[in-house]
Amino acid sequence: MKLTWITSLFSVCVAVAAGAAELPDLNGRTVIAVTENAYTPLNFVDAKTGQGIGWEYDAFNEIARRLNMKVDWQLSSWDTMIQAVKDGQFDVGMDGITITEERASQVDFSAPYMVSEQFMLVRANETKFDDAKSFAANPDLLVGSQPGTTNFYVAVYDILDGDETNPRIKLFETFGAAVQALKSGDVDVTLMDATSARGYMGANPGAFKLVGGPLGTEQFGFILTPGSDLTAPINAAIESMKADGTMEALNQKWFFDYKQTN
């Protein structure tokens, strides 16, 4: 399995490099894309307009522009998204989805579009703990998480005791609900990648901070229906956006400029 996984990743890299020179034209094809609108700053609802916005919206809309395709944006909860894409209800899905072997056995992944690490987000006035070890040592402290996510599994296996039913983990239907529980004092920490942590701290000045060091590194990718003919074109577009600085410009817009204006 490991060899197959490595070979698959190598094939993706070769396909990306080959496709970067000349992007295919999809002739105005409509692609159904799905997200959750609950993972700031990757995808969330603009309070002013009620529309979905964020890094992933901008990135995929740009991919569509470069490939000459139209995007039909749809919404889905996180717990049904991977299965729905697998079954072909949607063509492509995105929600800060970590590329893992288990998920890659169910759906196709694009080339990685972002690399991030897991951190501990806490209230700004938190003094009871300052890293994963001191958090785990205090049985009164709680972590808020969304089931089935990388954040959940890191909490279970990297911080706590490996018991997925540990009562110290409080589960929420959406990632945003877990962050709100942290803000209101119902839980003491929420794990998230540095990307999303910057977004929440920017949107809530003075409310949160990060403690401890990184708990792991993860790569995000778009998910596609197995065997999708969109994978290679999307990979080529991702590579072109990395090469011409578009990805870095999106990082600046959503992780730095957004923080300063919210």
Side-chain angles (χ1 to χ4, degrees), residues 190-211:
T190 296
L191 299 184
M192 65 179 65
D193 59 90
T195 298
S196 193
R198 287 194 294 265
Y200 277 107
M201 289 189 293
N204 300 270
F208 302 116
K209 66 180 179 180
L210 295 178
V211 297

Side-chain angles (χ1 to χ4, degrees), residues 35-47 51-57 94-96 114 116 121 146 151 174-177 179-180 190-204 208 220 253-255 258-259 262:
T35 189
E36 188 185 15
N37 278 358
Y39 201 1
T40 307
L42 297 184
N43 59 79
F44 62 105
V45 177
D46 186 345
Q51 300 298 309
I53 60 172
W55 193 101
E56 288 176 333
Y57 275 100
M94 61 206 76
D95 200 20
M114 186 178 296
S116 194
L121 186 74
Q146 187 179 15
N151 319 49
T174 68
F175 193 75
V179 176
Q180 185 58 44
T190 296
L191 299 184
M192 65 179 65
D193 59 90
T195 298
S196 193
R198 287 194 294 265
Y200 277 107
M201 289 189 293
N204 300 270
F208 302 116
F220 294 162
K253 173 183 177 180
W254 289 107
F255 306 143
Y258 178 77
K259 178 178 179 180
N262 288 270

Side-chain angles (χ1 to χ4, degrees), residues 212-253:
L215 298 172
T217 300
E218 57 186 351
Q219 294 181 319
F220 294 162
F222 300 115
I223 59 171
L224 300 102
T225 303
S228 174
D229 62 350
L230 291 170
T231 304
I234 287 174
N235 285 345
I238 289 173
E239 182 63 18
S240 73
M241 290 165 65
K242 290 178 179 178
D244 67 16
T246 300
M247 290 299 194
E248 185 55 38
L250 289 177
N251 291 343
Q252 180 66 40
K253 173 183 177 180

Side-chain angles (χ1 to χ4, degrees), residues 39-249:
Y39 201 1
T40 307
L42 297 184
N43 59 79
F44 62 105
V45 177
D46 186 345
K48 297 177 181 178
T49 67
Q51 300 298 309
I53 60 172
W55 193 101
E56 288 176 333
Y57 275 100
D58 281 3
F60 199 75
N61 283 333
E62 176 61 18
I63 288 171
R65 187 191 69 79
R66 295 184 183 211
L67 298 177
N68 187 22
M69 62 184 187
K70 300 176 182 178
V71 185
D72 177 5
W73 286 102
Q74 300 290 326
L75 297 178
S76 170
S77 63
W78 160 252
D79 60 349
T80 63
M81 187 181 297
I82 292 178
Q83 186 63 47
V85 172
K86 177 183 178 181
D87 293 342
Q89 296 179 38
F90 309 106
D91 297 308
V92 59
M94 61 206 76
D95 200 20
I97 302 175
T98 302
I99 299 173
T100 67
E101 291 185 53
E102 179 181 359
R103 290 171 181 165
S105 70
Q106 303 177 62
V107 292
D108 284 355
F109 270 101
S110 72
Y113 59 79
M114 186 178 296
V115 178
S116 194
E117 296 174 307
Q118 292 286 300
F119 286 88
M120 301 177 74
L121 186 74
V122 302
R123 290 181 294 280
N125 61 354
E126 180 60 71
T127 59
K128 295 185 292 295
F129 64 97
D130 57 12
D131 58 16
K133 183 177 181 180
S134 55
F135 174 86
N138 187 335
D140 296 327
L141 300 177
L142 304 176
V143 56
S145 187
Q146 187 179 15
T149 61
T150 299
N151 319 49
F152 171 77
Y153 292 115
V154 170
V156 171
Y157 295 101
D158 289 27
I159 296 180
L160 298 176
D161 57 3
D163 179 4
E164 294 185 13
T165 64
N166 191 315
R168 292 183 61 184
I169 303 178
K170 300 301 180 183
L171 299 178
F172 298 88
E173 289 188 5
T174 68
F175 193 75
V179 176
Q180 185 58 44
L182 172 64
K183 188 175 182 179
S184 63
D186 294 326
V187 298
D188 301 288
V189 66
T190 296
L191 299 184
M192 65 179 65
D193 59 90
T195 298
S196 193
R198 287 194 294 265
Y200 277 107
M201 289 189 293
N204 300 270
F208 302 116
K209 66 180 179 180
L210 295 178
V211 297
L215 298 172
T217 300
E218 57 186 351
Q219 294 181 319
F220 294 162
F222 300 115
I223 59 171
L224 300 102
T225 303
S228 174
D229 62 350
L230 291 170
T231 304
I234 287 174
N235 285 345
I238 289 173
E239 182 63 18
S240 73
M241 290 165 65
K242 290 178 179 178
D244 67 16
T246 300
M247 290 299 194
E248 185 55 38

